[in-house]
């Protein structure tokens, strides 16, 4: 536009050309035509600027030089857009979120972001090229994918971190998330960084290093544990005058996080904790070393297969004299084991509330829950709702 104005202004000021000496008298529309003609590849054969004020002639000379550059740049950019539109978009990214890792948690975070921040550009970085299908399949014009290793300093130059709104690390490798998070925090202290950390021990150790300026650490299991407590367990505990028995079957990361949260928020409500897992003794010892068991109430550890009927005979022998029917939380990392156990317990006429952890609560799972009368604890939907709130807190509130 500036070049067009320069040429038009020169013609209007009375500058002509050697091959078109009558341009000054031709009128404004003709002046506009000749000015536009400068942008045609090869240009119009107008000749050299003559006549008119000296300054106006110089402006026309400047337009002669700039117009072909503008045209060539536009043509090159158009060709580049046709060949590598993602490359052009990445070069223009600003105020975007960098999402590292496109596994289950990464996809749920992206869904959550789109529900409350639909116009935000997102650059997904993943070293696994097969994950590209999860991005491309979304048909989202504000979503870009970069197949790269974010630990590589050279690859980071393509991330436009200096223009980013923030970074969210959702890789399945806790240490990889933390390494990248701390590197970026040192490199760009003002950049907002949130890192997924699944292991309780690593999360607790990392939190001890936090001086208030480090990355934000978040844990999926804890998010779901908080949701379970607020939406169901808190009310159940309040309905009983005496303390309750809670059975945690499957004492992996999720089960340990559930117990950690209950000990923090509702220790006085618990009369007995029963831990059921094939490796319960080793897992309980690790939990005792990393977190510690609350001193109040009884604690029983059953090292047996949670899907075997004899395991639950041991559970019934321990809890048969308790004041209330126990609350059972089936939270193995395997959805099929949790569902099998829930159905078995109901067929054995086990009373009390049963909560079943699954990642996704599809139509089949909901039908099973209705028939066998157990509660679904769906990580998928709970995670999306929680991540919506987290994204708002990280990047929207106060921004």
């Amino acid at each position: 536009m500036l070049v067009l104005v320069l040429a038009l202004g020169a013609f209007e000021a009375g500058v002509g050309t050697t091959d078109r000496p009558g341009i000054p008298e031709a009128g404004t529309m003709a002046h506009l035509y000749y000015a536009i003609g400068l942008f045609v590849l090869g240009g119009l054969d107008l000749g050299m600027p003559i006549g008119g004020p000296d300054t106006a002639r110089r402006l026309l000379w400047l337009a002669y030089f700039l117009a072909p550059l503008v045209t060539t740049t536009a043509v090159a950019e158009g060709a580049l857009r046709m060949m590598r539109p993602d490359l052009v978009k990445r070069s223009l990214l600003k105020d975007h979120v960098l999402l590292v890792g496109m596994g289950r948690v990464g996809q749920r975070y992206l869904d959550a972001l789109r529900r409350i921040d639909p116009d935000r550009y997102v650059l997904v970085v993943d070293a696994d090229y097969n994950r590209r299908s999860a991005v491309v399949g979304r048909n989202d014009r504000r979503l870009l994918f970069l197949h790269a290793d974010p630990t590589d300093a050279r690859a980071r130059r393509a991330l436009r971190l200096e223009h980013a709104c923030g970074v969210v690390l959702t890789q399945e490798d806790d240490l990889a998330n933390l390494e990248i998070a701390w590197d970026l925090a040192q490199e760009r202290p003002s950049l907002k960084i949130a890192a997924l950390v699944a292991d309780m021990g690593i999360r607790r150790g990392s939190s001890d290093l936090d001086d208030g300026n480090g990355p934000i650490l978040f844990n999926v299991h804890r998010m779901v544990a908080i949701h379970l407590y607020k939406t169901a367990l808190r009310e159940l505990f309040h309905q009983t005058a005496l303390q309750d028995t809670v059975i945690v079957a499957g004492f992996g990361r999720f089960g340990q996080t559930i117990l950690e949260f209950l000990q923090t928020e509702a220790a006085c409500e618990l009369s007995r904790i029963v831990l059921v897992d094939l490796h319960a003794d080793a897992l309980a010892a690790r939990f005792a070393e990393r977190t510690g068991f609350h001193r109040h109430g009884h604690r029983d550890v059953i090292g047996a297969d949670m899907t075997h009927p004899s395991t639950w005979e041991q559970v019934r022998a321990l809890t048969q004299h308790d004041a209330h029917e126990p609350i059972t939380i089936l939270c193995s990392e395997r959805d099929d084991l949790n569902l099998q156990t829930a159905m078995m317990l109901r067929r054995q006429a086990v009373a009390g509330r049963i909560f079943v952890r699954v990642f996704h609560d599809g139509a089949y799972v909901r039908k099973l829950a209705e028939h066998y009368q157990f509660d679904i604890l769906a990580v998928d939907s709970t995670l999306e709702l929680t991540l919506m709130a987290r994204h708002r807190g990280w990047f929207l509130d106060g921004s």
Side-chain angles (χ1 to χ4, degrees):
M1 180 61 72
L2 176 60
V3 179
L4 181 65
V5 171
L6 291 177
L8 182 60
F11 291 141
E12 289 285 310
V15 178
T17 65
T18 54
D19 292 347
R20 299 286 195 278
I23 288 180
E25 295 81 24
T28 300
M29 294 305 295
H31 296 165
L32 181 61
Y33 168 77
Y34 287 118
I36 293 174
L38 296 177
F39 293 90
V40 178
L41 284 177
L44 292 178
D45 190 10
L46 300 180
M48 301 299 103
I50 58 172
D54 184 57
T55 301
R57 287 199 306 275
R58 291 178 180 176
L59 292 178
L60 185 56
W61 272 114
L62 182 60
Y64 272 24
F65 284 105
L66 292 180
L69 290 176
V70 172
T71 303
T72 304
T73 302
V75 171
E77 183 176 313
L80 189 58
R81 284 181 185 273
M82 289 188 290
M83 294 184 293
R84 292 291 305 277
D86 57 328
L87 186 61
V88 176
K89 283 186 178 180
R90 285 207 306 270
S91 68
L92 300 175
L93 278 177
K94 187 176 182 181
D95 201 29
H96 59 288
V97 168
L98 176 64
L99 174 59
V100 181
M102 198 57 180
R104 277 182 165 182
V105 178
Q107 293 186 46
R108 293 291 76 75
Y109 171 70
L110 192 54
D111 291 336
L113 180 151
R114 280 291 171 251
R115 290 180 63 178
I116 60 172
D117 198 4
D119 295 327
R120 179 82 62 182
Y121 274 94
V122 178
L123 175 58
V124 176
V125 179
D126 200 301
D128 184 355
Y129 195 81
N130 293 326
R131 297 276 178 85
R132 181 182 176 86
S133 60
V135 175
V136 174
R138 290 173 176 268
N139 194 26
D140 185 342
R141 65 184 181 85
R142 295 182 179 271
L143 184 61
L144 297 146
F145 182 88
L146 179 62
H147 172 236
D149 180 0
T151 62
D152 186 346
R154 292 173 297 178
R156 288 185 191 172
R157 288 196 290 269
L159 307 181
R160 289 180 63 83
L161 291 171
E162 67 276 16
H163 300 289
C165 167
V167 179
V168 180
L169 299 141
T170 61
Q171 298 176 113
E172 297 169 1
D173 187 332
D174 288 350
L175 290 178
N177 288 338
L178 291 169
E179 285 287 354
I180 297 170
W182 250 267
D183 282 350
L184 293 180
Q186 291 182 352
E187 182 181 329
R188 299 188 179 276
S190 62
L191 186 64
K192 296 178 182 177
I193 303 168
L196 172 68
V197 182
D199 187 89
M200 275 181 21
I202 294 176
R203 176 167 53 88
R204 184 178 293 274
S206 301
S207 298
D208 293 340
L209 301 177
D210 188 11
D211 57 1
N213 299 315
I216 302 166
L217 306 183
F218 67 100
N219 181 280
V220 170
H221 303 316
R222 186 169 179 82
M223 290 178 178
V224 180
I226 293 172
H227 178 79
L228 171 63
Y229 178 72
K230 289 184 176 180
T231 59
L233 294 184
R234 181 165 56 189
E235 183 62 26
L236 279 177
F237 291 155
H238 289 172
Q239 288 174 0
T240 55
L242 300 175
Q243 292 178 315
D244 294 275
T245 295
V246 174
I247 302 168
V248 179
F251 200 51
R253 289 179 173 179
F254 187 70
Q256 292 177 34
T257 305
I258 289 282
L259 180 57
E260 178 193 31
F261 184 78
L262 289 180
Q263 288 190 156
T264 302
E265 297 295 324
C268 61
E269 302 281 356
L270 306 176
S271 63
R272 183 191 299 274
I273 291 290
V274 180
L275 306 180
V276 179
D277 194 288
L278 191 60
H279 307 288
D281 291 327
L283 293 170
R286 185 182 304 171
F287 182 86
E289 187 273 327
R290 292 181 173 183
T291 304
F293 288 99
H294 203 282
R295 295 181 180 180
H296 302 299
H298 299 282
R299 180 180 75 253
D300 299 289
V301 179
I302 299 177
D305 182 357
M306 61 181 281
T307 64
H308 200 283
S310 64
T311 301
W312 295 94
E313 292 176 5
Q314 298 180 57
V315 173
R316 280 192 290 273
L318 290 171
T319 62
Q320 61 182 334
H321 300 300
D322 291 350
H324 304 288
E325 294 292 346
I327 298 168
T328 303
I329 307 173
L330 304 175
C331 47
S332 161
E333 303 296 328
R334 288 181 54 182
D335 295 358
D336 57 334
L337 297 186
N338 296 332
L339 291 169
Q340 289 174 31
T341 304
M343 291 186 285
M344 179 190 68
L345 293 178
R346 287 309 191 208
R347 284 195 292 265
Q348 292 179 354
V350 172
R353 291 284 290 274
I354 299 177
F355 294 89
V356 179
R357 178 261 188 210
V358 294
F359 190 84
H360 178 66
D361 57 338
Y364 174 69
V365 172
R366 290 194 294 270
K367 191 66 176 177
L368 284 178
E370 179 183 357
H371 181 76
Y372 287 98
Q373 297 184 331
F374 58 78
D375 295 274
I376 301 171
L377 186 56
V379 175
D380 197 6
S381 55
T382 302
L383 184 58
E384 185 171 336
L385 290 173
T386 308
L387 286 173
M388 286 171 60
R390 290 297 182 97
H391 175 80
R392 184 179 291 110
W394 292 337
F395 304 124
L396 296 181
D397 292 348
S399 61

